[in-house]
Amino acid sequence: MSVGEMLAATVPMARTLNLRFLETTPERAVVALPDQGDYHNHVGGPHAGAMFTLGESASGAIVLSAFGDQLARAVPLAVRAEIAYRKLAMGPVTATATLGRPAAEVVAELDGGRRPEFPVSVAIRREDGAVTGEMTVVWTLRPGG
């Protein structure tokens, strides 16, 4: 089972929003939110909460892809998140997440007995490529699996 399939199967919000995990690698994750009237805001685009969930889900997908081999000894947890809505989002949107620190550096901190924190940057785009939102989710690997 791929990371995307696992997240879709185990995270109720991902299923509720019908998120599609298009790419999940240790280098990047791409997740799509289809255009769905049930999740529109007052201007007819995706609701801010749906866009936040899309971005957070993309960040979680890259974290699991990059650090899945550490799950026996550490639990990935989101520590904090910030989102900026840049342009009006209409129609389907896609979130692309990238790690803000090299995975090896994060694992080295974990190996050293520390609880590493690392940012994941997310860009949310419309179909025309315009960036409608930018998000940073700071994650940690809590030792103790």
Side-chain angles (χ1 to χ4, degrees):
M1 182 181 288
S2 73
V3 168
E5 291 168 336
M6 182 191 67
L7 285 169
T10 60
V11 179
M13 247 344 246
R15 286 193 313 275
T16 296
L17 291 177
N18 300 305
L19 298 182
R20 291 181 293 123
F21 294 82
L22 305 177
E23 180 182 339
T24 54
T25 71
E27 290 74 39
R28 74 184 210 149
V30 181
V31 182
L33 173 66
D35 187 24
Q36 303 165 90
D38 286 346
Y39 306 113
H40 281 177
N41 58 21
H42 62 289
V43 294
H47 189 276
M51 289 177 53
F52 184 97
T53 300
L54 170 68
E56 193 275 342
S57 296
S59 77
I62 196 169
V63 167
L64 287 177
S65 294
F67 302 108
D69 60 342
Q70 304 299 317
L71 295 180
R73 68 180 185 137
V75 176
L77 298 169
V79 176
R80 62 187 170 276
E82 183 176 320
I83 191 165
Y85 301 100
R86 302 288 183 206
K87 291 183 184 251
L88 186 60
M90 299 298 282
V93 289
T94 303
T96 302
T98 55
L99 285 178
R101 289 179 59 197
E105 185 180 288
V106 174
V107 172
E109 279 188 33
L110 187 62
D111 290 342
R114 294 184 300 279
R115 181 176 170 166
E117 287 190 3
F118 54 94
V120 175
S121 298
V122 181
I124 301 171
R125 290 183 171 81
R126 298 186 303 224
E127 280 187 312
D128 67 3
V131 174
T132 63
E134 294 173 317
M135 183 176 196
T136 300
V137 183
V138 175
W139 287 81
T140 189
L141 296 178
R142 185 187 75 200

